[in-house]
Amino acid sequence: MQGSSRSEQSGRARGGIAVVTDSSASLPVDPATGQSTDELACGRVVVLPLPVDIAERTYDEIGPELDQALTMALAMGTPVRTSRPSPGRVGEAFASLAAAGYEGIVAVHLSSRLSGTVDAAELAAGEAELPVITVDSRQTGYSLGHAVLDAAGCAAGGGSLEEVAAAARRTAGRAESLFVVPHLDQLRRGGRINAAASLIGNLLSVKPLLGIDDGAVSVRERPHSLQRALDRLLERATTAIGGEQRSRVVVHSCGNRAQGEEFAQRLQEGLSVDVPVVELPPVLAAHLGLGALGVCISPPAV
């Protein structure tokens, strides 16, 4: 982990439990330290970049170079693949946090049905110098991000290792993630959805509405136009929010921010909270493709 000296200083000052996650959580990151800069992260959240392979090159750091290369690759149809971080890299992050004076680590990662990142964390945990609990969020995007932030908040409040892990599980277990994609080709190439579903979607020229169900991508609906798909996304998101006006809601976009902001404005009507628009991180954009739009809904922070 880069910039460990700053992390060590803050860690020794705070002690307690640290939280590790991956870049699919969509949290803002300081590239010099690997720590999330979200104000709710309490200086305790380390974000591991998930490698993205474009043509013959592997990008394993978050930054504008990857963003630009990925946008071009998706626009041109260049093959894009993603992979988990190596157990060694996860272990390095754990070792830095141990050296920083933390007493334990809760590693909260994207669904094990979408990536082997949880497995990498579990392997690294077996070699760690301090106790580590791994949490399979069964989520991704800001549904994972909110679970991570709630874990960090619990840790900052003096929560134990088990309490911090429970906070992450509680939020992730009540979250809803919904996405509309222009087509299913990217998901099929990456193995995140089966070929039959992709073929049916493309033959019917539908704009699929997807959800995360029990940690896996599923096709919820197959609207025949993008506008109908967005209308149904809005309806489903509104239903998921229900009467809980304090729900945390984030809209994800992928190269279509203006459309995302328009959708967020529609969704925000009647809510008592703002709905930010966050660009999909590269590891998710690689599978959902340009033009994807999503909504992540999490319960109110405790």
Side-chain angles (χ1 to χ4, degrees), residues 108 135 137 139 142-152 154 164-177 248 297-302:
V108 189
V135 175
S137 71
Q139 280 292 347
Y142 238 98
S143 291
L144 167 58
H146 284 137
V148 170
L149 293 176
D150 286 353
C154 179
V164 172
R169 293 191 188 99
R170 182 168 53 248
T171 298
R174 295 174 58 196
E176 175 77 296
S177 300
R248 290 169 290 176
I297 303 163
S298 300
V302 177

Side-chain angles (χ1 to χ4, degrees), residues 178 209 220-221 231-241:
L178 300 166
L209 194 159
R220 298 279 185 89
E221 296 185 28
D231 289 343
R232 288 297 297 143
L233 178 64
L234 181 69
E235 292 168 11
R236 279 183 171 265
T238 302
T239 299
I241 294 168

Side-chain angles (χ1 to χ4, degrees), residues 102-237:
Y102 286 101
E103 302 165 5
I105 297 170
V106 173
V108 189
H109 293 290
L110 80 164
S111 173
S112 61
R113 299 185 69 180
L114 301 176
S115 168
T117 306
V118 169
D119 291 338
E122 289 177 345
L123 288 171
E127 304 294 329
E129 305 169 27
L130 72 177
V132 178
I133 293 179
T134 59
V135 175
D136 180 354
S137 71
R138 314 292 274 186
Q139 280 292 347
T140 192
Y142 238 98
S143 291
L144 167 58
H146 284 137
V148 170
L149 293 176
D150 286 353
C154 179
S160 67
L161 192 67
E162 292 76 13
E163 288 169 337
V164 172
R169 293 191 188 99
R170 182 168 53 248
T171 298
R174 295 174 58 196
E176 175 77 296
S177 300
L178 300 166
F179 297 89
V180 166
V181 296
H183 50 74
L184 293 169
D185 288 345
Q186 286 295 125
L187 284 164
R188 178 185 57 78
R189 292 190 190 104
R192 268 59 181 187
I193 200 165
N194 65 52
S198 177
L199 177 62
I200 291 172
N202 291 335
L203 286 176
L204 296 178
S205 299
V206 302
K207 305 300 180 185
L209 194 159
L210 310 173
I212 301 294
D213 292 314
D214 192 26
V217 177
S218 67
V219 179
R220 298 279 185 89
E221 296 185 28
R222 296 182 173 87
H224 285 265
S225 71
L226 180 59
Q227 187 56 56
R228 178 57 179 163
L230 294 177
D231 289 343
R232 288 297 297 143
L233 178 64
L234 181 69
E235 292 168 11
R236 279 183 171 265

